[in-house]
Amino acid sequence: MPVGLLKTQLLSDDLVSGVEIRCEEKGHCPSACHLCHQPGRETPSPSPVLLEVNRVSPLYSLVQDNVTREALKSATMSSHWCAGRGDVIDNWCRCDLDAFGKDGLPNCSPLRQPVLRLSPHMEPSSMMVALEWLDVEPLIGYKVSDYIIQHKRMEDPSEAEIYSGEVLSLVDDLFSGLGSACVVAGRRSPDSSHPALYTLVFKCLEPDSLYKFTLYAIDSRGSRSEASSVTVRTSCHMVDDSRAEELADKVYNLYNGYTSGKEQQMAYNTLMEVPPPLLYRVQHHYNSHYEKFGDFVWRSEDELGPRKAHLILRRAERLSHLCRSLLRSGYIQSRTD
């Protein structure tokens, strides 16, 4: 019984005529409620219980008339799945004539945005990133026909969105087997009560690079969802530090003393062939062991000339500030990628 009605004592026998009050063993009646007391009995009766719900049922199932029940069921389904602007037919929404957007497509069951995220089960590496998202197809409303994935390498996070990058279709490119070997797609369905989980693994990325991944869904009516994006920088290159120390010693021997044209060309070829992070580490070892004969930059300009030395040093400058600081570290574990 509502507390407000108990406090105001506005209830009378006339107001509650037709309401059955059942008394069960759930405590005693409040003394303020005159409806709980029966004439001729001194002890109060147990607290009245108007309705006790012991199972969950759709509202329309409580209606006895078949026509009314079907109308109420249709209205309830339309309100829940079709925003009240369409009819539920099997497992999709047939939109009303006024439920169309500016693009001419039905919008009584708008397509939800898939949320793209990094997979917590696979840490990004220097060449690989794993992404995942949950299926946004509801039980009733619309049918997701495809997911579109776009990815691109970004030189500068603030650059204009001019280059769109590579665009892949989950159904036509990846699940059909026609896509690149550098992208692997998977789908896991725990059970019918949980949405499916999609996973994408990009395996051929450039180390120490910024990538932007974008995802959106398309339904069978041609509608497109809002896009979801993830921006991630791949890990720094892995460097074989023993190899870097050997190359630094080799370059010093080529630079040492009278240097012939053949030795100069050999030093230039060696330094141009190594990856930028290994080159950065070669410079570090050269300056650590042989700086008394001139640092790496000065000796390279003196032996190879300013132009060739600039071409070599410019390659090392492409590394990010983070990776350069790590490569300057006093201790680097020797590893081979």
Side-chain angles (χ1 to χ4, degrees):
M1 183 172 294
V3 177
L5 295 177
L6 291 178
K7 290 183 178 179
T8 58
Q9 297 187 7
L10 293 178
L11 288 177
S12 65
D13 293 335
D14 295 334
L15 291 176
V16 296
S17 60
V19 177
E20 178 184 357
I21 299 179
R22 295 185 291 107
C23 294
E24 299 178 4
E25 295 298 331
K26 293 184 179 292
H28 296 285
C29 272
S31 58
C33 179
H34 68 281
L35 294 176
C36 293
H37 304 280
Q38 298 180 4
R41 298 184 60 179
E42 296 182 358
T43 57
S45 61
S47 298
V49 178
L50 293 180
L51 180 63
E52 182 178 2
V53 178
N54 53 22
R55 66 186 180 90
V56 179
S57 301
L59 183 62
Y60 55 79
S61 66
L62 303 177
V63 181
Q64 300 300 319
D65 179 72
N66 288 336
V67 177
T68 306
R69 178 164 51 193
E70 288 301 319
L72 182 59
K73 178 181 178 181
S74 177
T76 304
M77 296 282 283
S78 174
S79 174
H80 184 75
W81 297 107
C82 312
R85 304 177 63 195
D87 299 321
V88 173
I89 308 297
D90 294 331
N91 63 344
W92 60 280
C93 285
R94 183 181 64 187
C95 297
D96 296 338
L97 295 178
D98 61 344
F100 286 79
K102 296 180 180 179
D103 54 2
L105 298 174
N107 61 359
C108 63
S109 56
L111 190 58
R112 288 187 295 143
Q113 177 190 38
V115 179
L116 187 65
R117 65 193 181 195
L118 288 174
S119 174
H121 307 292
M122 191 176 299
E123 184 178 357
S125 67
S126 59
M127 299 178 65
M128 182 175 63
V129 170
L131 304 166
E132 66 180 27
W133 71 92
L134 292 174
D135 189 16
V136 295
E137 180 177 314
L139 296 176
I140 298 174
Y142 56 83
K143 172 72 175 177
V144 174
S145 60
D146 200 1
Y147 287 98
I148 305 300
I149 305 97
Q150 173 183 310
H151 68 99
K152 67 175 181 177
R153 184 182 177 207
M154 304 173 65
E155 297 294 338
D156 183 359
S158 61
E159 69 181 4
E161 294 285 343
I162 299 176
Y163 171 61
S164 61
E166 183 180 5
V167 179
L168 296 171
S169 162
L170 185 68
V171 175
D172 296 334
D173 296 327
L174 301 178
F175 282 167
S176 65
L178 300 177
S180 169
C182 292
V183 185
V184 179
R187 182 180 186 270
R188 180 169 62 89
S189 301
D191 52 65
S192 57
S193 61
H194 293 82
L197 178 68
Y198 291 96
T199 304
L200 281 182
V201 180
F202 292 84
K203 302 189 296 182
C204 306
L205 305 180
E206 292 289 332
D208 189 24
S209 300
L210 190 66
Y211 284 90
K212 182 177 181 180
F213 303 91
T214 303
L215 170 76
Y216 59 88
I218 297 178
D219 68 8
S220 57
R221 301 171 300 190
S223 299
R224 171 175 165 173
S225 73
E226 292 291 329
S228 175
S229 298
V230 169
T231 303
V232 61
R233 180 176 289 278
T234 52
S235 303
C236 301
H237 301 66
M238 294 194 181
V239 176
D240 185 350
D241 203 42
S242 299
R243 174 65 176 159
E245 199 163 8
E246 292 174 2
L247 290 173
D249 188 64
K250 177 181 178 181
V251 171
Y252 169 74
N253 290 329
L254 291 173
Y255 284 172
N256 189 22
Y258 173 77
T259 306
S260 65
K262 180 180 179 181
E263 290 170 327
Q264 290 176 352
Q265 187 64 35
M266 187 179 299
Y268 175 76
N269 293 341
T270 300
L271 295 173
M272 288 296 288
E273 289 172 359
V274 298
L278 189 60
L279 175 62
Y280 200 90
R281 198 62 184 165
V282 167
Q283 180 178 352
H284 170 81
H285 285 299
Y286 188 100
N287 292 336
S288 299
H289 300 316
Y290 313 114
E291 192 173 5
K292 61 182 179 181
F293 300 106
D295 68 1
F296 180 79
V297 175
W298 184 85
R299 289 295 295 159
S300 296
E301 290 178 346
D302 185 59
E303 295 292 342
L304 307 178
R307 188 184 68 84
K308 287 187 176 181
H310 174 71
L311 292 175
I312 293 171
L313 297 173
R314 189 176 61 180
R315 299 176 62 240
E317 293 174 356
R318 297 174 184 171
L319 299 172
S320 66
H321 293 291
L322 172 63
C323 293
R324 272 185 273 181
S325 63
L326 292 176
L327 290 169
R328 285 193 299 267
S329 172
Y331 172 77
I332 290 184
Q333 181 182 4
S334 298
R335 295 184 63 179
T336 302
D337 190 4

